[in-house]
Amino acid sequence: MTTHSVTPSSRRRTFLPIVLDVAAPIGAYYLLRNGFGASEFVSLAWSSVIPAARTGWAAVTERTLNAFAALILFVNVVSLLLGFVSGDARLMLVKESAVGSVIGIGVLVSVMLGKPMMTTGMKPWVTRGQATREAAWTRLESGSEAFRRAERRFSVVWGTALLGECVVRVVGAYSLPVDTMVWLGTVIMIVTMGGAFLVGGALGAGPMLAMVAAEAKTAGACAPAADPAVVTAPVAIDSPELR
C-alpha cells in the first residue's frame, strides 16, 4: 500500500502563503503601531507592502500572470497609492474589500462569459493529476450540461461570497476602530472562505468530483481488453520456421 507522508517541503508550501499573506502583514502592523509608535496609516501602508511585493514577485518569477494574480496586484498597487495620497487609514482597510470585490466581480463576469474563473483552482483537486480523470473531465466538460452547471455554480458561490465579504469589510472599516478591524478583517476572511468552501463543495466541486470519478470508472470498464486468441507464443530463434 502506498502512503503519502507530509514532508517539510510540502508543509512549507502549504503554510508559507498563509504566513506571508496573513500573519506577516498583521504582525508588521502591530509592530510598527505599538512597537515604534507609527501612525495607523503608516503602519497599514507598510504592512500592505508585504503581500503586494509577494504578488508581484510571483508574477515575475513564474513569467505567467493568471487572473487572480493580475487582479490582486492591480488592486494592491492602486489602493496603496490612494492611501498615501489621502492619508486615510480607513481607506487602507477598505483595500481588502476592493480586492475581494474586484475578484468577486471578475469571477461572476467569467461565469457570464462561459469561462468560470474558479475552475483553474478546482480542476487539479478533482482530477488529482491522473490521466484517466483528466480525460474524463474533458469529456464531461464538452458533453455534459450537468457538469457545466456544477462548474458554474462553484464560481457563482465564490463570486457571491467575495462580494458579501466586501460589504461587511466596508461597513466595519468605517464603523469600528482601525485596530479592531485589522484582526477582525482576518476573521471575516476566514469565515467567508470556510463558507465558500462548504457551499461551493456541496453545490459544485462535490458533484463534479463524483461525475469525474464515475466517468473515469466507466471509461476504464469499457476499454477493450487484449484478446487472448490473438496473442501467440514467441517463436524460438532456432525454430524450423525461421531456417
Side-chain angles (χ1 to χ4, degrees):
M1 181 177 64
T2 302
T3 58
H4 300 278
S5 59
V6 180
T7 63
S9 61
S10 65
R11 280 197 296 267
R12 282 195 297 271
R13 287 193 299 269
T14 300
F15 292 108
L16 187 59
I18 298 175
V19 171
L20 292 177
D21 297 337
V22 179
I26 293 177
Y29 171 84
Y30 283 112
L31 177 64
L32 291 168
R33 181 86 171 110
N34 300 327
F36 294 94
S39 67
E40 292 176 346
F41 167 73
V42 170
S43 300
L44 280 169
W46 281 110
S47 65
S48 297
V49 169
I50 299 172
R54 170 174 149 71
T55 303
W57 177 257
V60 171
T61 55
E62 294 173 6
R63 296 185 179 181
T64 57
L65 199 62
N66 59 41
F68 283 113
L71 286 171
I72 292 172
L73 181 60
F74 173 77
V75 174
N76 272 348
V77 171
V78 171
S79 60
L80 190 60
L81 292 174
L82 288 175
F84 275 114
V85 171
S86 67
D88 185 0
R90 295 188 183 276
L91 180 61
M92 295 300 297
L93 285 173
V94 174
K95 176 203 74 172
E96 302 298 335
S97 304
V99 171
S101 63
V102 171
I103 294 176
I105 292 171
V107 170
L108 294 176
V109 169
S110 72
V111 174
M112 296 173 61
L113 295 177
K115 299 187 181 211
M117 188 184 295
M118 295 302 297
T119 299
T120 303
M122 176 181 49
K123 184 176 179 180
W125 178 77
V126 174
T127 58
R128 300 177 182 177
Q130 299 176 12
T132 54
R133 286 175 174 261
E134 292 275 358
W137 175 291
T138 301
R139 289 192 298 272
L140 288 168
E141 195 168 37
S142 61
S144 172
E145 179 56 33
F147 185 84
R148 290 193 295 268
R149 249 194 328 267
E151 185 182 9
R152 291 193 296 268
R153 282 198 301 263
F154 185 79
S155 284
V156 168
V157 167
W158 274 93
T160 304
L162 290 171
L163 284 177
E165 181 196 16
C166 165
V167 173
V168 174
R169 279 178 179 270
V170 170
V171 172
Y174 287 98
S175 61
L176 297 174
V178 171
D179 287 353
T180 299
M181 273 306 297
V182 168
W183 64 264
L184 185 58
T186 301
V187 174
I188 294 171
M189 178 192 70
I190 293 173
V191 171
T192 300
M193 296 296 174
F197 271 117
L198 290 174
V199 179
L203 298 180
M208 293 174 72
L209 178 62
M211 282 186 272
V212 166
E215 175 68 18
K217 184 177 179 180
T218 301
C222 295
D227 187 353
V230 177
V231 180
T232 60
V235 180
I237 295 178
D238 61 346
S239 64
E241 290 82 356
L242 295 181
R243 290 176 183 171

